[in-house]
Amino acid sequence: MKNKINIYLTEFSINSILRQKSKNIFIIFVFTTLIFLLSSVMFISGSIKSELNTLVDSLPQIIVQKLQAGRHSNIKSSSVDDILQIAGVTRAEARVWGYYYFKNAGVNFSVMGVDMFEPQLTTELEKIVDKVDFHQLEQNSSMIIGRGVKLTMVENYYSDYFNFIISDGSLKQVKIAGVFKSSTNLESNDMILLPKSIALEIFGMDESEATDIVVSVANPVEIPMIRAKLNLLFPDCRIVTNEDLKVSYQNIFDYKSGVFLALFIISLFTFFIIIYDKASGLSSSQKREIGILKAIGWKIDDILKEKFYEGFIISFTSFVLGILFSLFFVFFLQAPLLRDLFIGYSQLKPTFDLPYVMDYQTIFLLFFLTVPIYLSATIIPSWRAATLDADEVMR
Amino acid sequence: MKKKSFYLFNIMVVTLGLLMAEMLYLQVFSPLTAEDLENKKTYMQVVALPDLALANEAMFIRHRSLTATFELFPDSPALVEYFPSTFTYKYSNTLFLTPNRITVEK
């Protein structure tokens, strides 16, 4: 029964907290805000990162891009035949994609050309597109667009079709056949999907050219080998694998959370100043309190226990409150101001729901970074005072 | 149990309970259902372009991982890098065939 919580001691610590109400309320406020801000940013970045990492696996494993004079340039679509000769390659496809700058709104649309006649594509599109007009699609002169694109086009009075300005200055009218479902908004917001022939026309590219080649590999163990073979086959090309993409994502989020962390250092300092203030010594009244407690017969053990309860009540309550608020802020309110940190500032902002991902590692990290430090800052000075003689402390 | 301890105990139980309830609620009614995830995967298979549509103010921002290795003058030589997100792109370590962070962690 030795380790049982002493109710009288808890009662004493609550009274002790209430005696210094304003100071303790301030500590709880700073502590809660600190936990709230840190965990909010970590929740947002964790949520977006998990989204990226789950989706990168459904991409083709290797992308082959031609570089000319250090820049990306168009590759010959006939290179596909050479790539298919490599053992282990299940599929290689020349793609036509790029960006279309829409001057009126000042945004870049991503334009992707696909073969609209593949039967597999039709069934896939049925799943991800709202109200798709397949009749129009079959006429080969229409496109499927993302929600953000649709919104921008409607704002500029293009509700049924859009006029692309092609390289010779003439207009290419393309009808809108459907809009991607809002559940894919995070990925499809700026996307325009249209037949390959139209994409070639808009970009002013030749039939024999492609933007890049995607290569699917059945066995992931073979990817480095195939990459090496591709490097030998096309010395002028850059071979990007899924692993490279993951590294790139890691860098982005390290950076984005880092920017916030830099701003956050100020509040972290406030916290440490409070801790320092507490740890550097007790005020004379607090010291006298410890002395009186010793004089009336409290053991050092009891005093430390009481101080521990005091610190624990404050730090644990603030920690739980911080996590509670940040979960509410991020996943219920969808992080109103903070998520702009992770979004660009163009007009084509995606509206999306942050998927709920619980990163327990982060929570434990935050817990062990703050709560034990606070506890030690309360206990150590009281231990120093409590080990002295009662009359010496009171004097 | 004394009155104040009783209140404290209740407050702690209520906040912890709220936290649990919140986590449970998010777990069950998560905005991302299995169907949504399936849709997203199908979308990725159709389009096969990486990166999210989070930023598109300049052409080198979306699908950053696919643009040139060192994007110094992507639009015109006069354009200096000024979007915060343009600084984020770092070339892959595997470019020089040194093991990268993710492969090492695996």
Side-chain angles (χ1 to χ4, degrees), chain A residues 101-269:
Chain A
Y101 185 65
F102 182 38
K103 243 181 208 166
N104 280 11
V107 290
N108 278 294
F109 298 143
S110 302
V111 180
M112 182 82 201
V114 285
D115 293 318
M116 286 287 185
F117 296 110
E118 278 181 24
Q120 197 200 345
L121 187 74
T122 323
T123 53
E124 279 176 340
L125 282 180
E126 261 174 349
K127 270 197 233 165
I128 52 172
V129 181
D130 271 342
K131 297 172 280 183
V132 63
D133 188 348
F134 279 105
H135 180 66
Q136 235 179 37
L137 265 184
E138 275 164 17
Q139 285 176 344
N140 210 16
S141 63
S142 53
M143 59 187 177
I144 297 167
I145 57 179
R147 257 159 217 275
V149 179
K150 173 83 183 168
L151 223 70
T152 318
M153 283 183 180
V154 168
E155 268 170 20
N156 289 284
Y157 310 106
Y158 291 110
S159 47
D160 301 324
Y161 64 89
F162 184 73
N163 286 333
F164 286 97
I165 304 170
I166 56 180
S167 46
D168 61 359
S170 57
L171 296 179
K172 172 79 191 170
Q173 194 186 89
V174 184
K175 286 197 177 105
I176 299 170
V179 180
F180 284 115
K181 275 184 184 163
S182 57
S183 57
T184 62
N185 214 4
L186 195 52
E187 292 82 19
S188 67
N189 198 48
D190 66 345
M191 185 56 64
I192 296 178
L193 198 72
L194 37 70
K196 216 176 212 169
S197 53
I198 298 180
L200 284 170
E201 206 177 329
I202 290 170
F203 296 143
M205 278 162 64
D206 206 58
E207 286 268 325
S208 62
E209 286 178 327
T211 312
D212 55 16
I213 294 174
V214 286
V215 181
S216 300
V217 179
N219 185 359
V221 184
E222 288 176 352
I223 291 174
M225 192 60 207
I226 291 172
R227 181 204 183 110
K229 281 185 182 170
L230 283 170
N231 258 330
L232 278 179
L233 199 60
F234 306 105
D236 59 341
C237 285
R238 192 153 62 105
I239 321 290
V240 181
T241 63
N242 275 359
E243 286 294 296
D244 296 345
L245 291 183
K246 282 182 187 169
V247 173
S248 153
Y249 291 154
Q250 185 69 42
N251 284 329
I252 295 164
F253 285 100
D254 282 356
Y255 171 83
K256 289 264 177 174
S257 327
V259 167
F260 189 79
L261 219 63
L263 299 173
F264 172 78
I265 279 176
I266 300 162
S267 53
L268 203 72
F269 264 109

Side-chain angles (χ1 to χ4, degrees), chain A residues 11 15 51 65 95 99 128 183 186-187 190 238 244-245 249 252 254-255 324 327 343-346 350, chain B residues 2 4-5 19 22 36 39-40 43 48 51 53-54 56 59 62 64-67 84 88 94 101:
Chain A
E11 191 76 9
N15 282 327
E51 175 106 6
Q65 297 174 300
R95 296 194 303 185
Y99 306 108
I128 52 172
S183 57
L186 195 52
E187 292 82 19
D190 66 345
R238 192 153 62 105
D244 296 345
L245 291 183
Y249 291 154
I252 295 164
D254 282 356
Y255 171 83
L324 191 77
L327 274 179
I343 304 176
Y345 32 93
S346 75
Chain B
K2 295 276 176 122
K4 278 176 189 162
S5 306
L19 187 67
E22 202 173 59
D36 288 344
N39 281 346
K40 283 183 181 203
Y43 171 83
D51 290 11
L54 287 177
N56 36 35
M59 62 179 65
R62 170 113 137 111
R64 171 190 310 105
S65 31
L66 288 183
T67 47
T88 63
T94 49
R101 209 163 131 185

Side-chain angles (χ1 to χ4, degrees), chain B:
Chain B
M1 196 182 266
K2 295 276 176 122
K3 203 174 155 195
K4 278 176 189 162
S5 306
F6 180 71
Y7 282 139
L8 177 82
F9 181 73
N10 279 348
I11 288 170
M12 284 224 170
V13 167
V14 167
T15 34
L16 273 177
L18 266 177
L19 187 67
M20 295 289 169
E22 202 173 59
M23 281 157 82
L24 201 74
Y25 178 87
L26 284 168
Q27 196 76 56
V28 176
F29 303 101
S30 165
L32 191 71
T33 59
E35 196 200 336
D36 288 344
L37 200 69
E38 203 49 51
N39 281 346
K40 283 183 181 203
K41 284 191 174 155
T42 318
Y43 171 83
M44 289 307 267
Q45 273 154 16
V46 171
V47 174
L49 282 182
D51 290 11
L52 305 175
L54 287 177
N56 36 35
E57 52 264 37
M59 62 179 65
F60 45 89
I61 291 205
R62 170 113 137 111
H63 312 309
R64 171 190 310 105
S65 31
L66 288 183
T67 47
T69 321
F70 305 102
E71 283 280 13
L72 276 180
F73 308 118
D75 286 335
S76 88
L79 180 77
V80 206
E81 301 266 294
Y82 53 92
F83 294 118
S85 35
T86 58
F87 295 103
T88 63
Y89 179 73
K90 205 178 149 205
Y91 59 86
S92 149
N93 293 345
T94 49
L95 202 64
F96 303 116
L97 293 176
T98 45
N100 65 43
R101 209 163 131 185
I102 286 170
T103 39
V104 168
E105 274 171 8
K106 268 181 190 168

